[in-house]
């Protein structure tokens, strides 16, 4: 017997009728899937608007064949595909070259998210996205777009002391790389929940001479317990405090958490500051791809109308 329905929020449509600034911010949003979660979707065109970029997360142990097959399936439905390329699970440059060739040849992929990856110990020659870029293989293959990771809350793996010294040094290198690659670049960030520190971080990048556009990570609607679990696993410390504070409010504990307030605050800031360097929204559908797409459809106006309804 189901006493609580988490699949469809009872409190929000939290943004009400689509506001122009939110429609603008959600225009061209992207979403992250895995081969196993993508397999549950009959047709992405029933859920996602035309042009929505679909990232495919490469979790350790996932065969490259499964990644390429998922990329091909999503691309065949008309969506630009951006597979993750995690440095620490790649054996060597020959393996990287093979992956690039397979993605290109079998799925028509011309963009990728390069990141260190979620494993502590490298399994081969690479340990960072910088090393992947330094191979020159993506430029040689003519990749049109290359994204790298952004860390609004810092990254303890990179800066164990809690500073941002190493993170900022790496971004400085990537800023220089941006000037010599033909590929368009962006920073794709981990999911966040509070606008003010994200705005401060984005402004700090500009002050440091980093003009790589930001695609801000946003957690899709999900049970609060699910978001807390993922936040702990992903090391999203500051955002975890926001969730823990909400968890203390018994009136909110049993309601699904939605990204309405976070997106509304960012959209308002973007509207008031058109040069603000957060360019796009990147969704992590922690409560499910369909739930995330449904929320976007309910709150995103023309920016989120599914391709099959356009």
């Amino acid at each position: 017997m189901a006493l609580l329905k988490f699949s469809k929020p009872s409190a929000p449509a939290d943004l009400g009728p689509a506001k122009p600034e939110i429609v603008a911010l959600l225009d061209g949003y992207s979403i992250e899937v895995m081969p196993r979660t993508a397999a549950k979707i009959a047709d992405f065109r029933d859920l996602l608007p035309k042009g929505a970029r679909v990232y495919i997360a490469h979790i350790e142990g996932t065969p490259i064949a499964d990644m390429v097959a998922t990329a091909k399936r999503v691309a065949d439905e008309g969506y630009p595909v951006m597979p993750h390329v995690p440095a620490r699970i790649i054996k060597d440059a020959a393996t990287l070259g093979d992956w690039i060739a397979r993605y290109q040849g079998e799925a028509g992929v011309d963009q990728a998210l390069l990141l260190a990856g979620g494993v502590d110990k490298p399994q081969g020659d690479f340990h960072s996205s910088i090393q992947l870029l330094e191979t020159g293989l993506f430029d040689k293959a003519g990749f049109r777009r290359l994204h790298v990771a952004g860390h609004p809350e810092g990254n303890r793996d990179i800066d164990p002391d809690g500073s941002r010294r190493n993170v900022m040094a790496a971004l400085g290198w990537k800023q220089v790389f941006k000037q010599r690659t033909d590929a368009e670049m962006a920073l794709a960030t981990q999911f966040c929940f509070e606008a003010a520190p994200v705005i401060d971080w984005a402004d700090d990048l500009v002050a440091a001479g980093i003009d790589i556009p930001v695609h801000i990570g946003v957690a899709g609607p999900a049970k609060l317990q699910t978001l807390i679990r993922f936040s702990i696993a992903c090391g999203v410390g500051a955002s975890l405090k926001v969730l823990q504070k909400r968890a203390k409010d018994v009136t909110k504990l049993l309601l699904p958490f939605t990204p309405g307030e976070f997106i509304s605050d960012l959209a308002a800031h973007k509207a008031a500051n058109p040069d603000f360097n957060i360019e796009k929204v990147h969704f992590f559908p922690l409560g499910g791809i369909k739930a995330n797409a449904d929320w976007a459809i309910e709150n995103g106006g023309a920016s989120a109308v599914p391709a099959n309804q356009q």
Side-chain angles (χ1 to χ4, degrees):
M1 180 174 64
L3 298 179
L4 300 170
K5 295 183 179 180
F6 289 106
S7 58
K8 192 168 184 66
S10 57
D14 45 75
L15 303 180
K19 300 177 182 178
E21 64 270 23
I22 292 170
V23 173
L25 184 62
L26 290 183
D27 185 38
Y29 79 77
S30 58
I31 193 166
E32 188 154 309
V33 307
M34 294 179 285
R36 64 176 177 81
T37 58
K40 299 176 182 179
I41 304 301
D43 191 330
F44 280 97
R45 290 167 291 193
D46 292 332
L47 299 176
L48 304 182
K50 292 179 180 178
R53 181 176 293 109
V54 178
Y55 289 61
I56 305 176
H58 194 153
I59 307 302
E60 182 186 12
T62 303
I64 186 62
D66 291 356
M67 290 290 297
V68 173
T70 302
K72 183 179 187 306
R73 173 263 167 110
V74 174
D76 285 348
E77 291 179 7
Y79 294 97
V81 177
M82 178 168 276
H84 290 198
V85 182
R88 294 177 186 172
I89 68 170
I90 300 172
K91 180 181 178 182
D92 50 30
T95 301
L96 176 60
D98 176 65
W99 286 17
I100 291 172
R102 293 187 65 177
Y103 277 128
Q104 271 195 323
E106 299 176 38
V109 168
D110 62 358
Q111 50 190 289
L113 170 63
L114 313 185
L115 65 172
V119 299
D120 294 330
K121 185 178 179 180
Q123 299 174 5
D125 294 342
F126 304 113
H127 64 78
S128 71
S129 60
I130 289 177
Q131 290 177 310
L132 298 180
L133 292 169
E134 283 178 332
T135 67
L137 291 173
F138 293 95
D139 281 331
K140 183 178 179 180
F143 267 49
R144 183 176 57 83
R145 179 173 279 277
L146 296 171
H147 290 187
V148 291
H151 305 285
E153 300 181 5
N155 186 309
R156 287 280 182 173
D157 289 338
I158 301 172
D159 286 296
D161 61 0
S163 72
R164 294 182 178 175
R165 183 172 58 253
N166 294 331
V167 165
M168 291 304 294
L171 284 178
W173 185 95
K174 292 165 185 174
Q175 175 68 29
V176 173
F177 179 83
K178 175 178 178 284
Q179 309 310 318
R180 58 185 172 88
T181 181
D182 291 331
E184 294 184 65
M185 294 189 69
L187 300 178
T189 82
Q190 186 52 276
F191 54 86
C192 306
F193 298 101
E194 192 173 12
V198 167
I199 292 169
D200 289 343
W201 168 78
D203 289 343
D204 287 346
L205 294 184
V206 175
I210 309 297
D211 67 1
I212 304 173
V214 175
H215 292 199
I216 192 69
V218 176
K223 296 178 184 178
L224 188 60
Q225 300 94 317
T226 299
L227 295 185
I228 290 174
R229 185 175 73 252
F230 274 106
S231 295
I232 293 171
C234 297
V236 186
S239 291
L240 181 59
K241 295 176 183 177
V242 174
L243 298 180
Q244 289 171 329
K245 180 178 179 180
R246 179 185 171 105
K248 293 178 181 178
D249 185 342
V250 69
T251 65
K252 297 179 178 179
L253 181 60
L254 298 180
L255 290 174
F257 190 98
T258 71
E261 182 177 353
F262 179 54
I263 285 181
S264 183
D265 289 347
L266 286 181
H269 185 80
K270 177 80 171 177
N273 302 272
D275 294 333
F276 185 49
N277 59 339
I278 289 184
E279 181 181 73
K280 302 287 184 184
V281 165
H282 174 57
F283 281 115
F284 291 83
L286 304 182
I289 297 168
K290 186 177 185 305
N292 200 142
D294 285 346
W295 183 91
I297 291 166
E298 291 171 4
N299 296 280
S303 291
V305 176
N308 276 345
Q309 296 179 24
Q310 293 180 357

